[in-house]
Amino acid sequence: MGALVFSATCSLLLALVQGHSLFTCEPITISRCSGMPYNMTFFPNIMGHYDQDTAARKMDPFLILMNLHCSPDVHTFLCRAFVPACLDQIHVIHPCRSLCEKVYSDCKQLMDTFGIAWPEELECNRLINCDETAPATAAVTTNVHGTQKTPSQIRRDYGFWCPRHLHTTNGQGYKFLGIDQCAPPCPNMYFKNYELDVAKSFIGIVSIFCLCATLFTFLTFLIDVKRFRYPERPIIYYSVCYSIVSLMYFIGFLLGNKTACNEADDKLEIGETVVLGSQNKACTVLFMVLYFFTMAGTIWWVILTITWFLAAGRKWSCEAIAQKAMWFHAVAWGIPGFLTIMLLAMNKVEGDNISGVCFVGLYDLDASLYFVLLPLCLCVFFGLSLLLAGIISLNHVRQVIQHDGRNQEKLKKFMIRIGVFSGLYLVPLVALLGCYVYELVNRKIWETTWVFDHCDQYHIPCPYQA
């Protein structure tokens, strides 16, 4: 069975060599293997190393075996294992099982003495049976495409390779850094543990404060419903939306990562990963409620600016504005519902391993751009334009009635209320938009840096440019 797996692996590697221009032979730069009968090699090797620097570091513990010559073939075997021979740009020669068994038998006592662990990837039963007398050590030209390559010229970008413990099963639709059947790690990629604790505590405290403030507004409305007429009525719906949003974040704070992350599976060698897609019912419900009411709350703020503009700029009465209430509700609830259904159909649900909720655009830049940033920017643009138009109209009216002190004072208070409420909403929203833009611009850099910092730990190729 091991031979079949190894043969399949070799066949895959050869196919990659033949089908990908980046996978070509390269000159050997490791000095301890420079005296081999071959002088060209190929990576990745059977140990899973993706460049000669990594292979050289991993080879260091075995130098004592080579220096003490525990076996006449130890040098040949280790160099063939760590730095395999590459022939004719397409043939990669790995060590044979018989050579492995001979070296292991000769050096076992010495390895036990010095506590040297034989790598699992080099277990002899994993290697194929072959003839050591075959022309596996034939000389290979030192020139590639007619020119001598230097180590700086043969560096290659292998792209992102999903670590073993981040692999997911087929059919779940997971995708991470462009790789299918791969999921982001949990806890968060970019934060340290103490930073995560601070962020989660902050989110929990702010969600409680927001919940209390919005519920107070709504309960005040229930006490005297007639007091809140148009154009102020959208404030109530706005408060209801954000009370539910804050409740979702408080629930996420209580749940921790139970909903946003998948548990580790030791049997399948799968680590704790972020939930992606709508297969997780609890995560999907959190996403639907959070995204729907986030968008609805923003649209209700835009409707509030519309009603203020109609009252201040167009001189509409409360009754005239109230007649358009059906259209306001259709837009405020219909657009978020449509966007939520689209995201569910596109399987764009993503767990947030900081807040514990599920949202969209946390790992998918396109989803973040088109379903979060763009709608919020449009709402801010239209809302701010209507606010400015309304304030200009009110200022014109104030100048007309400048001799009517009583009405002018009422108008002044009304303008102050509009400005204070709009500022309290716009300042955090604009700050949020700034964070989204900053994240979109720098996300690729952060991801590349994360891969560079963890490539040795996960045994994956490091980025060509860090």
Side-chain angles (χ1 to χ4, degrees):
M1 185 65 182
L4 291 175
V5 173
F6 183 79
S7 300
T9 304
C10 290
S11 300
L12 177 60
L13 291 175
L14 289 176
L16 288 172
V17 173
Q18 294 172 335
H20 199 302
S21 61
L22 294 178
F23 290 79
T24 56
C25 296
E26 61 185 60
I28 295 176
T29 59
I30 300 178
S31 58
R32 64 183 69 102
C33 293
S34 59
M36 296 294 292
Y38 58 92
N39 50 22
M40 299 292 287
T41 186
F42 168 82
F43 281 82
N45 58 19
I46 59 176
M47 308 288 290
H49 308 144
Y50 295 87
D51 55 57
Q52 296 193 55
D53 292 337
T54 303
R57 291 197 305 270
K58 299 297 182 180
M59 199 176 181
D60 286 343
F62 296 92
L63 290 181
I64 189 170
L65 302 182
M66 299 172 67
N67 294 333
L68 294 178
H69 301 287
C70 61
S71 172
D73 299 311
V74 63
H75 183 270
T76 299
F77 172 74
L78 290 175
C79 283
R80 287 189 186 180
F82 285 87
V83 192
C86 183
L87 308 178
D88 303 327
Q89 300 296 327
I90 58 174
H91 299 298
V92 183
I93 308 301
H94 296 286
C96 299
R97 182 184 299 181
S98 58
L99 182 64
C100 174
E101 292 174 344
K102 185 176 185 306
V103 171
Y104 183 79
S105 176
D106 293 343
C107 299
K108 186 177 186 308
Q109 184 175 358
L110 192 62
M111 287 191 298
D112 293 340
T113 302
F114 288 95
I116 300 175
W118 193 260
E120 182 181 353
E121 295 85 357
L122 275 184
E123 289 183 2
C124 298
N125 58 1
R126 293 191 173 193
L127 303 181
I128 60 174
N129 285 315
C130 55
D131 184 7
E132 290 293 342
T133 61
T137 59
V140 184
T141 176
T142 58
N143 290 333
V144 178
H145 303 301
T147 58
Q148 179 72 29
K149 286 192 175 184
T150 62
S152 61
Q153 293 174 317
I154 61 176
R155 292 189 65 191
R156 300 169 299 194
D157 187 2
Y158 291 96
F160 175 68
W161 287 48
C162 186
R164 180 184 303 175
H165 72 288
L166 298 182
H167 279 290
T168 59
T169 56
N170 294 331
Q172 292 184 330
Y174 278 39
K175 191 172 185 178
F176 175 52
L177 298 184
I179 304 299
D180 293 327
Q181 300 174 26
C182 188
C186 195
N188 190 267
M189 297 164 52
Y190 309 115
F191 289 88
K192 299 177 182 178
N193 290 333
Y194 75 91
E195 293 174 333
L196 280 174
D197 292 338
V198 172
K200 290 180 179 180
S201 300
F202 176 79
I203 292 172
I205 294 171
V206 172
S207 64
I208 295 174
F209 175 78
C210 182
L211 181 61
C212 294
T214 51
L215 282 179
F216 175 78
T217 304
F218 180 63
L219 293 175
T220 304
F221 165 74
L222 293 180
I223 293 173
D224 187 1
V225 177
K226 295 181 180 180
R227 182 181 177 185
F228 291 88
R229 299 187 299 171
Y230 285 98
E232 291 90 353
R233 178 65 64 88
I235 294 177
I236 305 305
Y237 303 118
Y238 165 87
S239 300
V240 171
C241 290
Y242 277 95
S243 65
I244 296 176
V245 168
S246 58
L247 179 62
M248 291 300 102
Y249 277 106
F250 182 65
I251 292 175
F253 169 72
L254 296 178
L255 292 176
N257 289 333
K258 293 180 181 178
T259 302
C261 295
N262 297 309
E263 294 182 357
D265 192 330
D266 296 333
K267 293 182 180 179
L268 298 177
E269 297 184 352
I270 297 177
E272 191 177 11
T273 57
V274 174
V275 172
L276 298 179
S278 55
Q279 288 80 14
N280 187 306
K281 295 180 180 179
C283 185
T284 301
V285 171
L286 277 177
F287 156 76
M288 292 173 61
V289 176
L290 182 59
Y291 182 79
F292 177 84
F293 284 101
T294 298
M295 291 294 110
T298 305
I299 294 176
W300 273 117
W301 175 78
V302 176
I303 293 175
L304 177 64
T305 62
I306 293 174
T307 58
W308 269 337
F309 173 75
L310 293 176
R314 298 299 179 180
K315 309 299 185 295
W316 284 32
S317 64
C318 298
E319 292 77 11
I321 298 175
Q323 290 178 357
K324 305 296 181 181
M326 182 181 68
W327 294 104
F328 296 153
H329 284 278
V331 172
W333 307 121
I335 293 178
F338 175 72
L339 293 176
T340 303
I341 292 173
M342 279 189 63
L343 288 171
L344 288 175
M346 296 169 64
N347 208 32
K348 294 296 184 180
V349 181
E350 299 174 354
D352 184 357
N353 47 17
I354 298 179
S355 64
V357 299
C358 294
F359 202 61
V360 62
L362 302 170
Y363 299 95
D364 189 331
L365 291 178
D366 291 335
S368 176
L369 176 61
Y370 294 111
F371 289 92
V372 180
L373 182 60
L374 186 58
L376 291 179
C377 286
L378 290 175
C379 289
V380 170
F381 174 76
F382 285 115
L384 191 57
S385 300
L386 292 168
L387 273 176
L388 292 176
I391 291 175
I392 292 173
S393 298
L394 287 175
N395 187 57
H396 178 70
V397 172
R398 188 173 67 89
Q399 292 177 355
V400 172
I401 62 172
Q402 57 182 340
H403 300 294
D404 190 345
R406 183 177 179 183
N407 288 332
Q408 192 178 36
E409 188 65 25
K410 289 182 178 180
L411 192 59
K412 184 180 178 180
K413 290 182 179 179
F414 184 56
M415 292 177 65
I416 292 175
R417 287 168 58 190
I418 294 176
V420 171
F421 183 83
S422 301
L424 289 175
Y425 179 82
L426 278 175
V427 171
L429 182 57
V430 171
L432 177 63
L433 291 177
C435 292
Y436 277 124
V437 172
Y438 179 76
E439 184 176 351
L440 286 172
V441 171
N442 293 280
R443 178 81 70 84
K444 292 294 183 182
I445 299 174
W446 299 345
E447 292 171 348
T448 303
T449 304
W450 177 81
V451 175
F452 180 80
D453 290 340
H454 296 82
C455 56
D456 289 335
Q457 173 188 350
Y458 294 153
H459 305 292
I460 60 176
C462 295
Y464 180 74
Q465 293 180 337

Short mmCIF file of all heavy atoms in Angstrom, two decimals, residues 299-326:
data_model
loop_
_atom_site.label_atom_id
_atom_site.label_comp_id
_atom_site.label_asym_id
_atom_site.label_seq_id
_atom_site.Cartn_x
_atom_site.Cartn_y
_atom_site.Cartn_z
N ILE A 299 -30.22 51.47 5.80
CA ILE A 299 -31.23 52.00 4.87
C ILE A 299 -32.26 52.83 5.61
O ILE A 299 -32.73 53.86 5.09
CB ILE A 299 -31.89 50.84 4.10
CG1 ILE A 299 -30.87 50.16 3.18
CG2 ILE A 299 -33.08 51.34 3.27
CD1 ILE A 299 -31.38 48.95 2.45
N TRP A 300 -32.63 52.44 6.82
CA TRP A 300 -33.57 53.25 7.60
C TRP A 300 -32.97 54.62 7.94
O TRP A 300 -33.69 55.61 8.03
CB TRP A 300 -33.99 52.53 8.88
CG TRP A 300 -35.17 51.63 8.69
CD1 TRP A 300 -35.22 50.29 8.85
CD2 TRP A 300 -36.50 52.03 8.30
NE1 TRP A 300 -36.47 49.80 8.58
CE2 TRP A 300 -37.29 50.87 8.24
CE3 TRP A 300 -37.09 53.25 7.98
CZ2 TRP A 300 -38.63 50.88 7.90
CZ3 TRP A 300 -38.43 53.27 7.63
CH2 TRP A 300 -39.18 52.11 7.59
N TRP A 301 -31.65 54.68 8.11
CA TRP A 301 -31.03 55.99 8.32
C TRP A 301 -31.15 56.85 7.06
O TRP A 301 -31.41 58.05 7.13
CB TRP A 301 -29.56 55.81 8.70
CG TRP A 301 -28.85 57.12 8.81
CD1 TRP A 301 -28.91 58.01 9.85
CD2 TRP A 301 -28.00 57.73 7.83
NE1 TRP A 301 -28.14 59.11 9.59
CE2 TRP A 301 -27.56 58.97 8.36
CE3 TRP A 301 -27.54 57.33 6.58
CZ2 TRP A 301 -26.71 59.81 7.67
CZ3 TRP A 301 -26.69 58.16 5.88
CH2 TRP A 301 -26.28 59.39 6.42
N VAL A 302 -30.96 56.22 5.87
CA VAL A 302 -31.14 56.95 4.62
C VAL A 302 -32.58 57.44 4.49
O VAL A 302 -32.84 58.59 4.08
CB VAL A 302 -30.75 56.08 3.41
CG1 VAL A 302 -31.03 56.82 2.10
CG2 VAL A 302 -29.29 55.68 3.48
N ILE A 303 -33.54 56.58 4.86
CA ILE A 303 -34.95 56.98 4.81
C ILE A 303 -35.22 58.13 5.78
O ILE A 303 -36.01 59.04 5.49
CB ILE A 303 -35.85 55.77 5.10
CG1 ILE A 303 -35.73 54.74 3.98
CG2 ILE A 303 -37.32 56.21 5.27
CD1 ILE A 303 -36.48 53.46 4.25
N LEU A 304 -34.56 58.12 6.92
CA LEU A 304 -34.69 59.23 7.86
C LEU A 304 -34.23 60.54 7.22
O LEU A 304 -34.88 61.58 7.37
CB LEU A 304 -33.88 58.93 9.12
CG LEU A 304 -33.84 60.02 10.19
CD1 LEU A 304 -35.24 60.26 10.75
CD2 LEU A 304 -32.87 59.64 11.30
N THR A 305 -33.12 60.50 6.48
CA THR A 305 -32.66 61.72 5.81
C THR A 305 -33.64 62.13 4.71
O THR A 305 -33.81 63.34 4.45
CB THR A 305 -31.26 61.50 5.21
OG1 THR A 305 -31.31 60.47 4.21
CG2 THR A 305 -30.26 61.12 6.28
N ILE A 306 -34.28 61.13 4.07
CA ILE A 306 -35.28 61.46 3.04
C ILE A 306 -36.48 62.18 3.66
O ILE A 306 -36.96 63.19 3.14
CB ILE A 306 -35.73 60.18 2.31
CG1 ILE A 306 -34.57 59.59 1.50
CG2 ILE A 306 -36.92 60.46 1.39
CD1 ILE A 306 -34.90 58.24 0.87
N THR A 307 -36.97 61.65 4.78
CA THR A 307 -38.15 62.27 5.42
C THR A 307 -37.82 63.66 5.94
O THR A 307 -38.66 64.58 5.87
CB THR A 307 -38.65 61.38 6.58
OG1 THR A 307 -37.59 61.19 7.53
CG2 THR A 307 -39.11 60.03 6.06
N TRP A 308 -36.60 63.85 6.47
CA TRP A 308 -36.20 65.17 6.92
C TRP A 308 -36.12 66.14 5.73
O TRP A 308 -36.49 67.30 5.83
CB TRP A 308 -34.85 65.10 7.64
CG TRP A 308 -35.00 64.89 9.11
CD1 TRP A 308 -36.09 65.18 9.87
CD2 TRP A 308 -34.02 64.35 9.99
NE1 TRP A 308 -35.85 64.85 11.18
CE2 TRP A 308 -34.59 64.34 11.29
CE3 TRP A 308 -32.73 63.86 9.84
CZ2 TRP A 308 -33.91 63.88 12.40
CZ3 TRP A 308 -32.05 63.40 10.94
CH2 TRP A 308 -32.65 63.41 12.21
N PHE A 309 -35.58 65.64 4.60
CA PHE A 309 -35.48 66.49 3.42
C PHE A 309 -36.87 66.87 2.90
O PHE A 309 -37.11 68.02 2.51
CB PHE A 309 -34.70 65.78 2.33
CG PHE A 309 -34.68 66.52 1.02
CD1 PHE A 309 -33.89 67.64 0.85
CD2 PHE A 309 -35.48 66.11 -0.04
CE1 PHE A 309 -33.88 68.34 -0.36
CE2 PHE A 309 -35.47 66.79 -1.24
CZ PHE A 309 -34.67 67.91 -1.40
N LEU A 310 -37.80 65.89 2.91
CA LEU A 310 -39.16 66.20 2.45
C LEU A 310 -39.83 67.22 3.36
O LEU A 310 -40.58 68.10 2.91
CB LEU A 310 -39.99 64.91 2.39
CG LEU A 310 -39.58 63.88 1.33
CD1 LEU A 310 -40.42 62.62 1.45
CD2 LEU A 310 -39.70 64.48 -0.07
N ALA A 311 -39.57 67.08 4.68
CA ALA A 311 -40.19 68.03 5.61
C ALA A 311 -39.54 69.40 5.56
O ALA A 311 -40.22 70.43 5.62
CB ALA A 311 -40.11 67.46 7.03
N ALA A 312 -38.20 69.44 5.44
CA ALA A 312 -37.50 70.72 5.49
C ALA A 312 -37.40 71.38 4.13
O ALA A 312 -37.59 72.60 4.01
CB ALA A 312 -36.09 70.50 6.07
N GLY A 313 -37.06 70.60 3.09
CA GLY A 313 -36.84 71.18 1.78
C GLY A 313 -38.08 71.30 0.95
O GLY A 313 -38.26 72.28 0.21
N ARG A 314 -38.96 70.27 1.03
CA ARG A 314 -40.16 70.28 0.20
C ARG A 314 -41.41 70.71 0.95
O ARG A 314 -42.51 70.76 0.37
CB ARG A 314 -40.37 68.87 -0.37
CG ARG A 314 -39.24 68.39 -1.26
CD ARG A 314 -39.05 69.27 -2.47
NE ARG A 314 -37.95 68.83 -3.32
CZ ARG A 314 -37.58 69.44 -4.43
NH1 ARG A 314 -38.20 70.55 -4.78
NH2 ARG A 314 -36.58 68.99 -5.15
N LYS A 315 -41.27 70.97 2.24
CA LYS A 315 -42.38 71.45 3.08
C LYS A 315 -43.55 70.46 3.14
O LYS A 315 -44.70 70.84 3.16
CB LYS A 315 -42.90 72.81 2.58
CG LYS A 315 -41.83 73.85 2.36
CD LYS A 315 -41.09 74.17 3.63
CE LYS A 315 -40.11 75.32 3.43
NZ LYS A 315 -39.02 75.01 2.50
N TRP A 316 -43.21 69.13 3.13
CA TRP A 316 -44.27 68.11 3.24
C TRP A 316 -44.76 68.06 4.68
O TRP A 316 -43.98 68.18 5.63
CB TRP A 316 -43.75 66.75 2.83
CG TRP A 316 -43.61 66.58 1.33
CD1 TRP A 316 -43.30 67.52 0.42
CD2 TRP A 316 -43.76 65.35 0.62
NE1 TRP A 316 -43.25 66.99 -0.83
CE2 TRP A 316 -43.53 65.64 -0.76
CE3 TRP A 316 -44.07 64.04 0.97
CZ2 TRP A 316 -43.59 64.68 -1.75
CZ3 TRP A 316 -44.12 63.06 -0.02
CH2 TRP A 316 -43.90 63.38 -1.36
N SER A 317 -46.04 67.80 4.85
CA SER A 317 -46.59 67.62 6.19
C SER A 317 -46.33 66.20 6.68
O SER A 317 -45.95 65.31 5.90
CB SER A 317 -48.10 67.88 6.17
OG SER A 317 -48.75 66.92 5.35
N CYS A 318 -46.55 65.99 7.98
CA CYS A 318 -46.37 64.66 8.56
C CYS A 318 -47.29 63.64 7.89
O CYS A 318 -46.89 62.50 7.63
CB CYS A 318 -46.64 64.70 10.07
SG CYS A 318 -45.53 65.79 10.98
N GLU A 319 -48.51 64.04 7.62
CA GLU A 319 -49.47 63.13 7.01
C GLU A 319 -49.05 62.76 5.59
O GLU A 319 -49.20 61.61 5.16
CB GLU A 319 -50.86 63.77 6.99
CG GLU A 319 -51.49 63.95 8.36
CD GLU A 319 -50.91 65.13 9.11
OE1 GLU A 319 -50.16 65.93 8.48
OE2 GLU A 319 -51.17 65.26 10.32
N ALA A 320 -48.54 63.73 4.83
CA ALA A 320 -48.11 63.45 3.46
C ALA A 320 -46.94 62.47 3.44
O ALA A 320 -46.88 61.56 2.59
CB ALA A 320 -47.75 64.76 2.76
N ILE A 321 -46.01 62.66 4.37
CA ILE A 321 -44.87 61.73 4.44
C ILE A 321 -45.34 60.34 4.88
O ILE A 321 -44.87 59.32 4.37
CB ILE A 321 -43.80 62.27 5.40
CG1 ILE A 321 -43.26 63.61 4.89
CG2 ILE A 321 -42.65 61.29 5.55
CD1 ILE A 321 -42.28 64.28 5.83
N ALA A 322 -46.27 60.29 5.83
CA ALA A 322 -46.77 59.00 6.33
C ALA A 322 -47.45 58.19 5.23
O ALA A 322 -47.46 56.95 5.29
CB ALA A 322 -47.73 59.24 7.49
N GLN A 323 -48.00 58.84 4.23
CA GLN A 323 -48.63 58.12 3.13
C GLN A 323 -47.64 57.31 2.31
O GLN A 323 -48.02 56.38 1.59
CB GLN A 323 -49.38 59.11 2.23
CG GLN A 323 -50.62 59.72 2.88
CD GLN A 323 -51.30 60.72 1.96
OE1 GLN A 323 -50.83 61.00 0.86
NE2 GLN A 323 -52.42 61.28 2.43
N LYS A 324 -46.35 57.67 2.39
CA LYS A 324 -45.30 56.94 1.67
C LYS A 324 -44.66 55.86 2.53
O LYS A 324 -43.66 55.25 2.12
CB LYS A 324 -44.21 57.92 1.21
CG LYS A 324 -44.74 59.09 0.36
CD LYS A 324 -45.34 58.61 -0.94
CE LYS A 324 -45.83 59.77 -1.78
NZ LYS A 324 -46.44 59.33 -3.06
N ALA A 325 -45.23 55.61 3.71
CA ALA A 325 -44.63 54.65 4.64
C ALA A 325 -44.51 53.26 4.05
O ALA A 325 -43.54 52.53 4.29
CB ALA A 325 -45.43 54.61 5.94
N MET A 326 -45.50 52.84 3.25
CA MET A 326 -45.47 51.51 2.65
C MET A 326 -44.24 51.34 1.75
O MET A 326 -43.58 50.30 1.77
CB MET A 326 -46.74 51.27 1.86
CG MET A 326 -46.82 49.89 1.22
SD MET A 326 -48.33 49.66 0.27
CE MET A 326 -48.02 50.82 -1.09
#
